[in-house]
Amino acid sequence: MLQGKTIVLGVCGGIAAYKAAALCSKLAQAGADVRVIMTASATKFVAPLTFQTLSRHDVITDTFDEKDASVVSHIDLADRADLVVVAPATANMLAKMAHGIADDMLSTTLLATLAPVLVAPAMNVHMIDHPAVKENMAKLEERGVRFIEPGFGQLACGYVGKGRLAEPDELFAAIAAALREAEQPKPLAGKRVLVTAGGTVERIDPVRYMTNDSSGKMGIAVAEAARDAGAQVTLVYGKLAVPLPSGVDAVRAESALDMLDAVMARLPETDIVIKAAAVADYRAETIAPQKIKKNAETMTLQLVKNPDILQTVGERKGNRFIVGFAAETEQLEQHALDKLRRKHCDLIVANDVSQEGAGFRGDTNIVSVYDEAGLVEAMPLLGKKEAARRLVALIAPRAAERRA
Ligand code: PMT
C-alpha cells in the first residue's frame, strides 16, 4: 500500500516528536517516500538529522532554504504528496491551519496541498479541551481534514488525561487506511449533481416575508457528501443559517419562483437532482411595493399556490435520477410514498419532523429512504453529515445503473 507513495510528514514542537521518528522509520521501511518538514520548535525536541537519517532525505525547516533551484519547495512538496500527515500537531499548528496562516514551511505547504491531510494532535489535557482548539478542529474537520484521536494516559506535563499522541503503530494503520481510501474510485465521479437547500423566502412587502425553519444544514450536508463522492455539485440555496460549503457552485434563489428558475435553467446539464430545500407551498398574491401600514384591526393576506419544483423536474426527468425529501408529522411512509409517485422521484428521503433530533435546524436527523417498492433504509438518529453520506451511498449505484 505504501510502496512508492509520497508522504509529507509534518512534525511540530512537542515532546511527542520522538514518536514521529518511529513513525518515519516505519513508513520508510514500508517503501514510502517520506519527506519531513519540521517546525522550528520541533527541532528543539528532535534533531533534523534523526529524520534525515530515517527518511534518507533532507529535512526542511525553513521555507526559504531552497535546496533545489528548479522547484519552489513548498509547492513541489504540496503537489507531490499522496498524503500529508501532521504528527504531532500542536494547538498552534491547528490554529494556523484553521485560519489559513502560512508563516513557516509546514503551514505554507499545508495551505498549498490538495492531498488528503491527516492530523494527529498531542497536547495537554486542558489545551485539547479548550474551546478555541475544539473550534479549530471542528473547522478543519468541516473542510475534510481527518484526525487521529489522541490517547488517554500519563502526559509529559505530569497530568493524566487525553492528549497523548497516538502510538506509531496506530498512526501507521491510519495512514495506510487513508491511502487505501484515497485510491478508491469515487462513486459519483463524472456526475453532475444539483442539490437544493434552505428555506425559500416569500416577500410580503419590502420589510416582511414568509419563510420556514429550514437552516440548510441537511441540504448542505448532502451537497458536501456528493462533492466528496466525486460529483460536480451545484447548490441552489435559499435562506441559510450556516456558511456555504467549499468546492460547489453555489446559486442563490430567494423565493420558490426564483428556485424554480435556477433549477430548471440547470436541469439540462444535470444527472442527479436532490431536493432537500423547504419550499413554500404558497406566496403572497401581490408584493406590496411599500411597507404595509397597520391601519386596520385585521388584515387578510391573499396567498396563491407556488409551482412544485420537484414535480416539475420529475415530469421532465428524462434519464435523470431524482431524489425528493418529505417533511412529515404523521403517516410518514404513506405520505412519503405518495410524494415519491406524484413527483416522479426515484428515491424519497422522509423525515418525521415532529421527532426529537429530526428535521429542521438541528445537527441531527432521523430519515427513512423509500423507492417505488417501499422502504430501502431506515436510518437511526445520525448527524446530518453522516445521514447525507449514507444517502449518497444509496444514490450512487442506483444512478449509475440508470445511466447504463
Ligand atoms: O434545512 P434543515 O434545517 O437542515 O432541515 C432539513 C429539512 C427538514 C428541511 C429537510 O430534511 C427536508 O425535509 N426537506 C424537505 C422539506 C419540504 O419542503 O418537504 P415537503 O414534504 O413539503 O416537500 C416534498 C418535496 O417537494 C421536497 O423535496 C421539497 O423540496 C419539494 N417541493 C415542495 C414544495 C414546492 N413548491 N416545491 C418543491 O420542490
Side-chain angles (χ1 to χ4, degrees), residues 320-367:
R320 290 175 196 86
F321 195 85
I322 310 296
V323 183
F325 270 68
E328 308 296 345
T329 54
E330 48 156 8
Q331 299 175 56
L332 189 73
E333 175 163 346
Q334 191 185 319
H335 289 318
L337 285 174
D338 170 58
K339 281 178 187 167
L340 174 121
R341 287 171 191 141
R342 200 157 28 88
K343 305 190 185 197
H344 311 278
C345 297
D346 296 289
L347 289 176
I348 196 133
V349 186
N351 37 195
D352 178 346
V353 296
S354 65
Q355 260 186 297
E356 182 75 27
F360 295 97
R361 290 186 306 271
D363 291 327
T364 58
N365 207 351
I366 307 167
V367 304

Side-chain angles (χ1 to χ4, degrees), residues 234-313:
T234 300
L235 175 70
V236 177
Y237 66 97
K239 185 176 61 62
L240 299 178
V242 284
L244 284 170
S246 59
V248 306
D249 179 19
V251 181
R252 169 99 171 106
E254 185 172 86
S255 66
L257 290 177
D258 295 338
M259 192 171 274
L260 176 71
D261 287 347
V263 169
M264 295 316 287
R266 287 158 185 84
L267 198 59
E269 66 260 17
T270 299
D271 301 307
I272 301 172
V273 177
I274 309 173
K275 281 222 76 265
V279 183
D281 291 322
Y282 293 89
R283 66 181 186 278
E285 188 172 35
T286 53
I287 302 174
Q290 306 301 335
K291 185 181 170 194
I292 299 169
K293 291 288 170 201
K294 58 165 192 292
N295 297 329
E297 280 309 307
T298 60
M299 178 189 158
T300 304
L301 195 61
Q302 186 71 23
L303 302 180
V304 292
K305 209 169 187 182
N306 269 327
D308 192 304
I309 306 167
L310 182 57
Q311 191 163 346
T312 311
V313 167

